[in-house]
Amino acid sequence: MAPTLEEPMPVDMNAPLRAAPKLVAPEPEHCPGPESNKAGQSDACAGCPNQSICASAPKGPDPDIPLITARLANIRHKILVLSGKGGVGKSTFTTMLAHAFATKPESQVGIMDTDICGPSIPKMMGVEAEQVHISGSEWSPVSVADNLSVMSVQFMLPNRDDAVIWRGPKKNGLIKQFLKDVEWGELDFLLVDTPPGTSDEHLSVNSLLKESGVDGAVLVTTPQEVALLDVRKEIDFCAKAGIRILGVVENMSGFVCPKCAHRSQIFRPSTGGARRMAKEAGIPFLGAVPLDPRIGMACDYGESFFDAYPDSPACLALRNVVKRVGEEIGLTPDEVLPEHLEDDMEVDDTRS
């Protein structure tokens, strides 16, 4: 049979994230979603065995959103880290951005790992063996340093290599708990690391954080067109979901030899790379970070690349990216990095 050319059913980006009703049959193609305000009422619902169940399911604003908004009231800046493509170093970039913000002792930084099926943040931050402390109805994030903390499903797994085999509603429920029940305290920056794609986790984060306010999203890509294809879909998702794009970072942009500092192109930007894509999309280009094998080693050992190799080309490039992220959320360089690190930064040419 030839593929259909009909328009796909539009997704309700603001659908309340209540517990999904128990369905008696699989969701059909073009289903608006059992939690949607259109559930059981759209043309696609006609003849579906679940129609009456979805039509009678509770709808309206999620009653937990005001609680989440109150819980996050003391967090000054909330930044999403997104990429439509897996394997571009998004979680690695999240950890390095967190370490960079945390180099300023006065700044309090948190990471919320919403990659439920592939939670790698705890390993990269050196706290993989830790557990979440629960006091009453509150969860405490795991401390990495005095001013840096993490929350991830990895801390709740009985064994490190256990797979998380969950459908969307259960993922949504855990993300809600991370926002509603975790005592984040006063933070200057909350970084939300997300899985690849534009699906359940992304919709949940957007819906639950909308009232409390998100500064925007940093998109991470690598130079080759295969990665850019999916990142363009993420740009489209942000536009439809009303998420401001702070800018795009080109990760693994050339390889810098640790011994001679010579740069080679591993992933060639066959269509102009992230810089050209950002220009065409009308979004800021935050900078290019070269590939350095020591970044991977630092993540494997749970160490800060910023502390271990502060003079490396990758670290200098990352500082410029951090400065640009700060500018996009209205902060001056001295509000995001210590003064001695500002002085070490190279001239920023990311606007060209």
Side-chain angles (χ1 to χ4, degrees), residues 1 10 37 103 121 139 153 161 168 174 192 219 266 302 307 310 348:
M1 180 181 292
N37 288 325
T103 56
I121 293 290
W139 299 359
V153 71
D161 297 330
L174 182 63
V192 182
L219 306 186
I266 305 297
D307 294 339
D348 181 14

Side-chain angles (χ1 to χ4, degrees), residues 251-286:
N251 198 24
M252 307 185 202
S253 183
F255 165 70
V256 176
C257 176
K259 294 185 177 180
C260 68
H262 176 73
R263 183 189 293 255
S264 304
Q265 289 292 343
I266 305 297
F267 304 110
R268 292 191 175 276
S270 57
T271 58
R275 187 188 295 270
R276 180 174 174 181
M277 181 190 70
K279 185 176 181 180
E280 291 173 348
I283 60 177
F285 178 68
L286 300 176

Side-chain angles (χ1 to χ4, degrees), residues 185-198:
E186 287 198 25
L187 293 181
D188 294 285
F189 306 98
L190 176 64
L191 307 180
V192 182
D193 185 51
T194 63
T198 55

Side-chain angles (χ1 to χ4, degrees), residues 15-182:
L17 296 169
R18 295 177 178 273
K22 294 183 179 180
L23 306 180
V24 296
E27 297 173 25
E29 188 178 6
H30 305 319
C31 174
E35 300 93 354
S36 169
N37 288 325
K38 298 179 180 179
Q41 302 170 14
S42 74
D43 293 341
C45 300
C48 176
N50 301 314
Q51 185 173 12
S52 60
I53 299 173
C54 294
S56 60
K59 297 178 178 64
D62 189 323
D64 286 331
I65 288 182
L67 301 177
I68 292 172
T69 301
R71 170 72 79 182
L72 305 181
N74 292 323
I75 300 178
R76 294 177 182 84
H77 300 286
K78 306 173 194 74
I79 300 172
L80 311 181
V81 182
L82 307 175
S83 179
K85 188 70 174 175
V88 297
K90 174 180 45 56
S91 294
T92 300
F93 177 79
T94 300
T95 62
M96 291 194 291
L97 186 60
H99 278 302
F101 284 143
T103 56
K104 194 172 177 64
E106 311 92 88
S107 294
Q108 295 293 325
V109 185
I111 301 178
M112 187 174 82
D113 184 2
T114 66
D115 193 343
I116 307 300
C117 296
S120 55
I121 293 290
K123 174 70 173 178
M124 295 178 177
M125 300 302 286
V127 289
E128 187 182 22
E130 301 296 326
Q131 294 182 333
V132 174
H133 177 69
I134 302 176
S135 177
S137 60
E138 294 183 344
W139 299 359
S140 297
V142 171
S143 177
V144 177
D146 290 341
N147 64 339
L148 179 56
S149 58
V150 175
M151 178 55 71
S152 172
V153 71
Q154 181 68 40
F155 301 132
M156 305 172 189
L157 300 181
N159 300 296
R160 186 184 73 170
D161 297 330
D162 286 352
V164 179
I165 309 173
W166 290 357
R167 295 188 185 275
K170 196 164 184 179
K171 293 180 182 179
N172 297 342
L174 182 63
I175 291 171
K176 180 185 284 189
Q177 282 189 282
F178 282 175
L179 294 169
K180 181 171 67 76
D181 297 335
V182 173

